[in-house]
Amino acid sequence: MRALLVVNPKATTTSGRTRDVLTHALASDLKLEVATTEYRGHARDLARQAAVDGTVDLVVSLGGDGTVNEVVNGLLAHGPSERVPRLAVVPGGSTNVFARTLGLPNDAVEATGALLDALEHRRERVIGLGKAMTDGLPDRWFTFCAGLGFDAGVVGRVEQRRMAGQRSTHALYVQEALRHYVTERERRKAGPIAIRIPGQDPVEGLVFSIVSNTSPWTFLGNRPVYPSPKASFDTDLDLFALTRMTVASTARTVRGLLDGSGAGPRGRHVVSYHDLRHFTLVSQEPVPFQVDGDHLGERTDVSFTGVRRALRVIV
């Protein structure tokens, strides 16, 4: 099988030596070409060119969720098709949500072994993806989540800290979430976001919203976080939102997010939907926007669409 390995050399949890070992292991079973990313968006460009040229059957992403997202957007630059190469993932980031929700080990060496076994036995899965559309940006595919409001603001804070040289860790996310919560609680009395679903009345006054393509939404260490427990690669999109974030209501929400029973957060302040094909989030003012943990600035209007059977993944 002809394959392109896209390597992010800045991936959080892989060293140069580990990358060399993994490359050698993959090259033993694949006709392998290796490309190392050199700038933001390079993984997307490499995957797009591979899809256009038709020179490979498989693109392997070695990096974190951001690298995976870029590769997916490159592969699907011209939309889903049987001609699009398959995707495989070797996790190398700090959280690796997409790889872990596919059931892959959260270790690069173990995941490589699982990938080689899947290739030998021809195991693959066709998954659905989400698509976000907003003015001023190209349409953006996402694999596991997108967000408008509070959670995207936390992502933006973490990216600023990373640009300043700090390493991305779960503790950093928790720290910035607490800081952002205090800032937003003091500044905002009412949520500016509204949900517009075709054929339904709008729901207004939302503080933030999380769009999920699968579950869990993320991980705190080894602990999964579940805003939308029913979200799945086999359905369209789920939406979780809050109308307020008081200390008491936020504490209840956090308990619900960490509850592994499948119930998810509940309460009068919770708004949730399952298996939505298309909807739009509109804000009265610009608020932070993110997809798959990538902060994309502030927006007032983002439309979302669930696309079933969008991509073939080796698992």
PDB file of all heavy atoms in Angstrom, residues 245-271:
ATOM      1  N   MET A 245     -23.829  30.501  34.062  1.00  0.00           N
ATOM      2  CA  MET A 245     -22.661  29.858  34.651  1.00  0.00           C
ATOM      3  C   MET A 245     -22.420  30.425  36.048  1.00  0.00           C
ATOM      4  O   MET A 245     -21.344  30.936  36.350  1.00  0.00           O
ATOM      5  CB  MET A 245     -21.430  30.035  33.763  1.00  0.00           C
ATOM      6  CG  MET A 245     -21.526  29.315  32.438  1.00  0.00           C
ATOM      7  SD  MET A 245     -20.015  29.452  31.432  1.00  0.00           S
ATOM      8  CE  MET A 245     -18.865  28.500  32.426  1.00  0.00           C
ATOM      9  N   THR A 246     -23.430  30.339  36.906  1.00  0.00           N
ATOM     10  CA  THR A 246     -23.226  30.709  38.300  1.00  0.00           C
ATOM     11  C   THR A 246     -22.337  29.664  38.955  1.00  0.00           C
ATOM     12  O   THR A 246     -22.100  28.580  38.397  1.00  0.00           O
ATOM     13  CB  THR A 246     -24.561  30.785  39.050  1.00  0.00           C
ATOM     14  OG1 THR A 246     -25.153  29.467  39.059  1.00  0.00           O
ATOM     15  CG2 THR A 246     -25.521  31.760  38.374  1.00  0.00           C
ATOM     16  N   VAL A 247     -21.838  29.959  40.122  1.00  0.00           N
ATOM     17  CA  VAL A 247     -20.959  29.015  40.811  1.00  0.00           C
ATOM     18  C   VAL A 247     -21.673  27.687  41.051  1.00  0.00           C
ATOM     19  O   VAL A 247     -21.140  26.606  40.771  1.00  0.00           O
ATOM     20  CB  VAL A 247     -20.456  29.606  42.142  1.00  0.00           C
ATOM     21  CG1 VAL A 247     -19.678  28.551  42.931  1.00  0.00           C
ATOM     22  CG2 VAL A 247     -19.592  30.835  41.896  1.00  0.00           C
ATOM     23  N   ALA A 248     -22.923  27.755  41.559  1.00  0.00           N
ATOM     24  CA  ALA A 248     -23.658  26.528  41.866  1.00  0.00           C
ATOM     25  C   ALA A 248     -23.991  25.738  40.601  1.00  0.00           C
ATOM     26  O   ALA A 248     -23.795  24.518  40.546  1.00  0.00           O
ATOM     27  CB  ALA A 248     -24.941  26.867  42.619  1.00  0.00           C
ATOM     28  N   SER A 249     -24.499  26.432  39.566  1.00  0.00           N
ATOM     29  CA  SER A 249     -24.879  25.722  38.345  1.00  0.00           C
ATOM     30  C   SER A 249     -23.650  25.155  37.627  1.00  0.00           C
ATOM     31  O   SER A 249     -23.702  24.062  37.053  1.00  0.00           O
ATOM     32  CB  SER A 249     -25.650  26.655  37.402  1.00  0.00           C
ATOM     33  OG  SER A 249     -24.827  27.700  36.923  1.00  0.00           O
ATOM     34  N   THR A 250     -22.550  25.868  37.666  1.00  0.00           N
ATOM     35  CA  THR A 250     -21.325  25.383  37.029  1.00  0.00           C
ATOM     36  C   THR A 250     -20.792  24.150  37.746  1.00  0.00           C
ATOM     37  O   THR A 250     -20.322  23.200  37.103  1.00  0.00           O
ATOM     38  CB  THR A 250     -20.256  26.484  36.995  1.00  0.00           C
ATOM     39  OG1 THR A 250     -20.762  27.617  36.282  1.00  0.00           O
ATOM     40  CG2 THR A 250     -18.989  25.995  36.314  1.00  0.00           C
ATOM     41  N   ALA A 251     -20.867  24.146  39.074  1.00  0.00           N
ATOM     42  CA  ALA A 251     -20.424  22.971  39.836  1.00  0.00           C
ATOM     43  C   ALA A 251     -21.255  21.744  39.468  1.00  0.00           C
ATOM     44  O   ALA A 251     -20.720  20.641  39.291  1.00  0.00           O
ATOM     45  CB  ALA A 251     -20.521  23.249  41.331  1.00  0.00           C
ATOM     46  N   ARG A 252     -22.579  21.928  39.320  1.00  0.00           N
ATOM     47  CA  ARG A 252     -23.439  20.811  38.914  1.00  0.00           C
ATOM     48  C   ARG A 252     -23.095  20.343  37.502  1.00  0.00           C
ATOM     49  O   ARG A 252     -23.076  19.138  37.211  1.00  0.00           O
ATOM     50  CB  ARG A 252     -24.912  21.223  38.988  1.00  0.00           C
ATOM     51  CG  ARG A 252     -25.460  21.375  40.402  1.00  0.00           C
ATOM     52  CD  ARG A 252     -26.984  21.432  40.400  1.00  0.00           C
ATOM     53  NE  ARG A 252     -27.473  22.598  39.665  1.00  0.00           N
ATOM     54  CZ  ARG A 252     -27.684  23.790  40.208  1.00  0.00           C
ATOM     55  NH1 ARG A 252     -27.418  23.984  41.500  1.00  0.00           N
ATOM     56  NH2 ARG A 252     -28.146  24.790  39.485  1.00  0.00           N
ATOM     57  N   THR A 253     -22.811  21.302  36.622  1.00  0.00           N
ATOM     58  CA  THR A 253     -22.469  20.949  35.250  1.00  0.00           C
ATOM     59  C   THR A 253     -21.173  20.143  35.194  1.00  0.00           C
ATOM     60  O   THR A 253     -21.073  19.145  34.471  1.00  0.00           O
ATOM     61  CB  THR A 253     -22.322  22.218  34.390  1.00  0.00           C
ATOM     62  OG1 THR A 253     -23.564  22.920  34.380  1.00  0.00           O
ATOM     63  CG2 THR A 253     -21.933  21.863  32.971  1.00  0.00           C
ATOM     64  N   VAL A 254     -20.170  20.563  35.945  1.00  0.00           N
ATOM     65  CA  VAL A 254     -18.896  19.850  35.956  1.00  0.00           C
ATOM     66  C   VAL A 254     -19.083  18.416  36.439  1.00  0.00           C
ATOM     67  O   VAL A 254     -18.517  17.476  35.865  1.00  0.00           O
ATOM     68  CB  VAL A 254     -17.872  20.597  36.832  1.00  0.00           C
ATOM     69  CG1 VAL A 254     -16.626  19.745  37.047  1.00  0.00           C
ATOM     70  CG2 VAL A 254     -17.491  21.928  36.186  1.00  0.00           C
ATOM     71  N   ARG A 255     -19.898  18.229  37.476  1.00  0.00           N
ATOM     72  CA  ARG A 255     -20.173  16.866  37.948  1.00  0.00           C
ATOM     73  C   ARG A 255     -20.827  16.042  36.842  1.00  0.00           C
ATOM     74  O   ARG A 255     -20.494  14.869  36.650  1.00  0.00           O
ATOM     75  CB  ARG A 255     -21.067  16.906  39.190  1.00  0.00           C
ATOM     76  CG  ARG A 255     -20.359  17.371  40.462  1.00  0.00           C
ATOM     77  CD  ARG A 255     -21.153  16.996  41.705  1.00  0.00           C
ATOM     78  NE  ARG A 255     -22.450  17.667  41.737  1.00  0.00           N
ATOM     79  CZ  ARG A 255     -22.664  18.867  42.276  1.00  0.00           C
ATOM     80  NH1 ARG A 255     -21.654  19.529  42.819  1.00  0.00           N
ATOM     81  NH2 ARG A 255     -23.862  19.391  42.275  1.00  0.00           N
ATOM     82  N   GLY A 256     -21.762  16.655  36.119  1.00  0.00           N
ATOM     83  CA  GLY A 256     -22.424  15.943  35.031  1.00  0.00           C
ATOM     84  C   GLY A 256     -21.481  15.621  33.893  1.00  0.00           C
ATOM     85  O   GLY A 256     -21.571  14.551  33.279  1.00  0.00           O
ATOM     86  N   LEU A 257     -20.550  16.531  33.606  1.00  0.00           N
ATOM     87  CA  LEU A 257     -19.583  16.304  32.541  1.00  0.00           C
ATOM     88  C   LEU A 257     -18.673  15.119  32.828  1.00  0.00           C
ATOM     89  O   LEU A 257     -18.233  14.415  31.916  1.00  0.00           O
ATOM     90  CB  LEU A 257     -18.732  17.559  32.329  1.00  0.00           C
ATOM     91  CG  LEU A 257     -19.421  18.786  31.733  1.00  0.00           C
ATOM     92  CD1 LEU A 257     -18.499  19.996  31.802  1.00  0.00           C
ATOM     93  CD2 LEU A 257     -19.843  18.524  30.289  1.00  0.00           C
ATOM     94  N   LEU A 258     -18.377  14.906  34.098  1.00  0.00           N
ATOM     95  CA  LEU A 258     -17.464  13.830  34.491  1.00  0.00           C
ATOM     96  C   LEU A 258     -18.193  12.540  34.867  1.00  0.00           C
ATOM     97  O   LEU A 258     -17.559  11.557  35.243  1.00  0.00           O
ATOM     98  CB  LEU A 258     -16.598  14.303  35.666  1.00  0.00           C
ATOM     99  CG  LEU A 258     -15.699  15.499  35.374  1.00  0.00           C
ATOM    100  CD1 LEU A 258     -14.986  15.955  36.637  1.00  0.00           C
ATOM    101  CD2 LEU A 258     -14.693  15.170  34.278  1.00  0.00           C
ATOM    102  N   ASP A 259     -19.518  12.544  34.762  1.00  0.00           N
ATOM    103  CA  ASP A 259     -20.323  11.377  35.099  1.00  0.00           C
ATOM    104  C   ASP A 259     -20.286  10.395  33.927  1.00  0.00           C
ATOM    105  O   ASP A 259     -20.728  10.702  32.830  1.00  0.00           O
ATOM    106  CB  ASP A 259     -21.759  11.808  35.375  1.00  0.00           C
ATOM    107  CG  ASP A 259     -22.664  10.647  35.758  1.00  0.00           C
ATOM    108  OD1 ASP A 259     -22.163   9.506  35.856  1.00  0.00           O
ATOM    109  OD2 ASP A 259     -23.876  10.875  35.944  1.00  0.00           O
ATOM    110  N   GLY A 260     -19.766   9.235  34.160  1.00  0.00           N
ATOM    111  CA  GLY A 260     -19.647   8.255  33.089  1.00  0.00           C
ATOM    112  C   GLY A 260     -20.861   7.366  32.917  1.00  0.00           C
ATOM    113  O   GLY A 260     -20.812   6.381  32.179  1.00  0.00           O
ATOM    114  N   SER A 261     -21.994   7.703  33.560  1.00  0.00           N
ATOM    115  CA  SER A 261     -23.182   6.850  33.492  1.00  0.00           C
ATOM    116  C   SER A 261     -23.904   6.953  32.154  1.00  0.00           C
ATOM    117  O   SER A 261     -24.758   6.124  31.837  1.00  0.00           O
ATOM    118  CB  SER A 261     -24.156   7.221  34.611  1.00  0.00           C
ATOM    119  OG  SER A 261     -24.705   8.520  34.408  1.00  0.00           O
ATOM    120  N   GLY A 262     -23.597   8.006  31.371  1.00  0.00           N
ATOM    121  CA  GLY A 262     -24.286   8.204  30.104  1.00  0.00           C
ATOM    122  C   GLY A 262     -25.422   9.185  30.173  1.00  0.00           C
ATOM    123  O   GLY A 262     -26.070   9.463  29.158  1.00  0.00           O
ATOM    124  N   ALA A 263     -25.686   9.736  31.355  1.00  0.00           N
ATOM    125  CA  ALA A 263     -26.796  10.686  31.502  1.00  0.00           C
ATOM    126  C   ALA A 263     -26.416  12.073  30.999  1.00  0.00           C
ATOM    127  O   ALA A 263     -27.231  12.780  30.408  1.00  0.00           O
ATOM    128  CB  ALA A 263     -27.226  10.760  32.961  1.00  0.00           C
ATOM    129  N   GLY A 264     -25.178  12.496  31.255  1.00  0.00           N
ATOM    130  CA  GLY A 264     -24.757  13.831  30.859  1.00  0.00           C
ATOM    131  C   GLY A 264     -25.269  14.885  31.823  1.00  0.00           C
ATOM    132  O   GLY A 264     -26.082  14.609  32.701  1.00  0.00           O
ATOM    133  N   PRO A 265     -24.815  16.133  31.669  1.00  0.00           N
ATOM    134  CA  PRO A 265     -25.267  17.212  32.561  1.00  0.00           C
ATOM    135  C   PRO A 265     -26.761  17.482  32.400  1.00  0.00           C
ATOM    136  O   PRO A 265     -27.313  17.384  31.303  1.00  0.00           O
ATOM    137  CB  PRO A 265     -24.442  18.424  32.086  1.00  0.00           C
ATOM    138  CG  PRO A 265     -23.288  17.844  31.352  1.00  0.00           C
ATOM    139  CD  PRO A 265     -23.790  16.588  30.725  1.00  0.00           C
ATOM    140  N   ARG A 266     -27.404  17.835  33.515  1.00  0.00           N
ATOM    141  CA  ARG A 266     -28.831  18.152  33.504  1.00  0.00           C
ATOM    142  C   ARG A 266     -29.081  19.420  34.285  1.00  0.00           C
ATOM    143  O   ARG A 266     -28.240  19.875  35.041  1.00  0.00           O
ATOM    144  CB  ARG A 266     -29.639  16.998  34.114  1.00  0.00           C
ATOM    145  CG  ARG A 266     -29.539  15.680  33.352  1.00  0.00           C
ATOM    146  CD  ARG A 266     -30.338  14.597  34.044  1.00  0.00           C
ATOM    147  NE  ARG A 266     -30.281  13.335  33.324  1.00  0.00           N
ATOM    148  CZ  ARG A 266     -30.878  12.216  33.718  1.00  0.00           C
ATOM    149  NH1 ARG A 266     -31.560  12.215  34.859  1.00  0.00           N
ATOM    150  NH2 ARG A 266     -30.786  11.125  33.008  1.00  0.00           N
ATOM    151  N   GLY A 267     -30.261  19.987  34.101  1.00  0.00           N
ATOM    152  CA  GLY A 267     -30.645  21.184  34.851  1.00  0.00           C
ATOM    153  C   GLY A 267     -31.340  22.188  33.956  1.00  0.00           C
ATOM    154  O   GLY A 267     -31.314  22.090  32.725  1.00  0.00           O
ATOM    155  N   ARG A 268     -31.982  23.187  34.580  1.00  0.00           N
ATOM    156  CA  ARG A 268     -32.724  24.186  33.818  1.00  0.00           C
ATOM    157  C   ARG A 268     -31.815  25.040  32.953  1.00  0.00           C
ATOM    158  O   ARG A 268     -32.250  25.626  31.960  1.00  0.00           O
ATOM    159  CB  ARG A 268     -33.517  25.083  34.772  1.00  0.00           C
ATOM    160  CG  ARG A 268     -34.705  24.374  35.444  1.00  0.00           C
ATOM    161  CD  ARG A 268     -35.427  25.312  36.383  1.00  0.00           C
ATOM    162  NE  ARG A 268     -34.552  25.735  37.480  1.00  0.00           N
ATOM    163  CZ  ARG A 268     -34.897  26.627  38.405  1.00  0.00           C
ATOM    164  NH1 ARG A 268     -36.088  27.218  38.335  1.00  0.00           N
ATOM    165  NH2 ARG A 268     -34.065  26.934  39.379  1.00  0.00           N
ATOM    166  N   HIS A 269     -30.555  25.126  33.334  1.00  0.00           N
ATOM    167  CA  HIS A 269     -29.605  25.940  32.580  1.00  0.00           C
ATOM    168  C   HIS A 269     -28.982  25.199  31.398  1.00  0.00           C
ATOM    169  O   HIS A 269     -28.229  25.785  30.623  1.00  0.00           O
ATOM    170  CB  HIS A 269     -28.485  26.406  33.509  1.00  0.00           C
ATOM    171  CG  HIS A 269     -27.700  25.274  34.102  1.00  0.00           C
ATOM    172  ND1 HIS A 269     -28.256  24.393  35.005  1.00  0.00           N
ATOM    173  CD2 HIS A 269     -26.416  24.857  33.907  1.00  0.00           C
ATOM    174  CE1 HIS A 269     -27.341  23.503  35.355  1.00  0.00           C
ATOM    175  NE2 HIS A 269     -26.226  23.760  34.694  1.00  0.00           N
ATOM    176  N   VAL A 270     -29.300  23.900  31.254  1.00  0.00           N
ATOM    177  CA  VAL A 270     -28.700  23.064  30.210  1.00  0.00           C
ATOM    178  C   VAL A 270     -29.616  23.003  28.984  1.00  0.00           C
ATOM    179  O   VAL A 270     -30.820  22.777  29.101  1.00  0.00           O
ATOM    180  CB  VAL A 270     -28.440  21.643  30.729  1.00  0.00           C
ATOM    181  CG1 VAL A 270     -27.974  20.727  29.601  1.00  0.00           C
ATOM    182  CG2 VAL A 270     -27.400  21.668  31.843  1.00  0.00           C
ATOM    183  N   VAL A 271     -29.042  23.193  27.817  1.00  0.00           N
ATOM    184  CA  VAL A 271     -29.740  23.025  26.540  1.00  0.00           C
ATOM    185  C   VAL A 271     -28.981  21.974  25.744  1.00  0.00           C
ATOM    186  O   VAL A 271     -27.759  22.092  25.571  1.00  0.00           O
ATOM    187  CB  VAL A 271     -29.781  24.354  25.744  1.00  0.00           C
ATOM    188  CG1 VAL A 271     -30.452  24.142  24.391  1.00  0.00           C
ATOM    189  CG2 VAL A 271     -30.496  25.432  26.538  1.00  0.00           C
TER     190      VAL A 271
END
